[in-house]
Amino acid sequence: MALLADKTAVITGGSTGIGLATAKRLAEEGAYVFITGRRQAELEAAAKEIGDNVTVVQGDVADPGDLDRLYTVVADSGRRIDVLFANAAVIDVARLGEITEQHLDHLLNIDFKGLVFTVQKALPLLEDGASVILNSSNTNAKGSEGIGVYAAIKAAVRSLARTWASELRDRNIRVNVVSPGATDTPGLNDLARVLVEGPNAVEEFERQQRSVIPMGRRGTPDEVANAVLFLASDLSTYTTGADIPVDGGTNQI
């Protein structure tokens, strides 16, 4: 039997990368999936990849009104939420001395405020016994100067999981974190073009990353999706407040 048969999942940032891979994986295991993203064309393309069991809702997690609209769509479908993957995030680069209010606000609005309200606004629709999964990150900034604010926010996400796991225990709602390391996504390649100069920025950045990853390669979105599936399913019913690293051993060895 499918691990998520008759379950409903909501995934923010579900049109590309880790979010899309996770949406496909959860749908394969029987879940009906709602995905969000800022760009309608990418959402529609993602829906074609996922198949029949999906609804797309265009919106930005930084806008509380868009989150309200997302959950209205879910409620109007007659469904309740069994799995919530707060995945949407961006990364901007600014070294200490170069940080602006715009830089700080952009990261905080999407990566922190957006995540907080993604979870808080879902509470009335969350089934007792639901699984909430937060996407953190490998926050080791070695070799990636300029991501201090991003790394600090991701560390805060880890802290939220601990607090919320305790606050929601009476409803038997589990809250966990998945922390990907260097993962082969469009966003990581965009970051490479910012951090590394030259026409071969993507290749050079990947080479630099491989040199410090014990497994000697980047991860794939599918590998992260498998970790999310574990946390989403009844395979992890005694796991809450945990951080599951999917980083090739970068922060473990």
Side-chain angles (χ1 to χ4, degrees):
M1 185 176 183
L3 289 173
L4 298 177
D6 302 321
K7 302 292 187 181
T8 298
V10 172
I11 300 171
T12 61
S15 60
T16 62
I18 290 170
L20 175 56
T22 301
K24 292 166 64 176
R25 190 72 183 90
L26 300 192
E28 288 170 359
E29 289 294 337
Y32 190 93
V33 181
F34 292 82
I35 63 170
T36 72
R38 289 179 289 175
R39 291 174 287 275
Q40 186 66 30
E42 289 186 359
L43 282 170
E44 291 174 359
K48 291 179 180 178
E49 288 193 49
I50 295 166
D52 295 332
N53 293 332
V54 62
T55 293
V56 303
V57 183
Q58 189 275 331
D60 186 343
V61 297
D63 183 341
D66 283 356
L67 288 170
D68 289 336
R69 187 162 50 83
L70 163 65
Y71 293 126
T72 296
V73 171
V74 176
D76 287 350
S77 75
R79 296 175 179 273
R80 292 181 59 80
I81 300 171
D82 302 287
V83 179
L84 175 62
F85 183 30
N87 167 69
V90 295
I91 183 167
D92 277 348
V93 176
R95 299 166 189 255
L96 185 62
E98 301 171 347
I99 297 169
T100 64
E101 281 191 74
Q102 182 181 16
H103 168 81
L104 192 61
D105 288 345
H106 184 55
L107 285 173
L108 286 170
N109 284 339
I110 296 174
D111 294 2
F112 190 74
K113 186 186 84 172
L115 180 140
V116 169
F117 285 114
T118 292
V119 177
Q120 180 167 286
K121 288 176 177 291
L123 288 177
L125 285 172
L126 283 175
E127 286 281 14
D128 289 353
S131 174
V132 175
I133 302 140
L134 313 179
N135 194 355
S136 182
S137 177
N138 169 10
T139 53
N140 186 334
K142 289 186 296 185
S144 299
E145 295 180 3
I147 65 168
V149 173
Y150 171 82
I153 291 171
K154 290 301 188 178
V157 168
R158 173 71 185 99
S159 179
L160 287 175
R162 292 187 175 102
T163 303
W164 291 346
S166 178
E167 290 180 355
L168 295 174
R169 68 186 183 278
D170 290 344
R171 293 182 58 188
N172 198 31
I173 293 174
R174 297 175 291 111
V175 184
N176 292 291
V177 171
V178 62
S179 291
T183 307
D184 193 9
T185 64
L188 190 61
N189 290 335
D190 290 342
L191 177 63
R193 297 183 183 96
V194 175
L195 293 175
V196 181
E197 296 181 356
N200 299 317
V202 172
E203 293 79 5
E204 175 59 21
F205 189 52
E206 182 175 357
R207 185 196 65 77
Q208 292 173 10
Q209 290 181 315
R210 288 200 311 267
S211 70
V212 297
I213 298 171
M215 292 189 71
R217 64 172 179 85
R218 285 181 176 177
T220 69
D222 288 339
E223 288 173 314
V224 181
N226 284 334
V228 176
L229 173 62
F230 166 73
L231 293 173
S233 74
D234 286 347
L235 294 175
S236 59
T237 51
Y238 200 50
T239 302
T240 193
D243 182 2
I244 306 298
V246 190
D247 62 3
T250 302
N251 276 353
Q252 320 311 317
I253 297 175

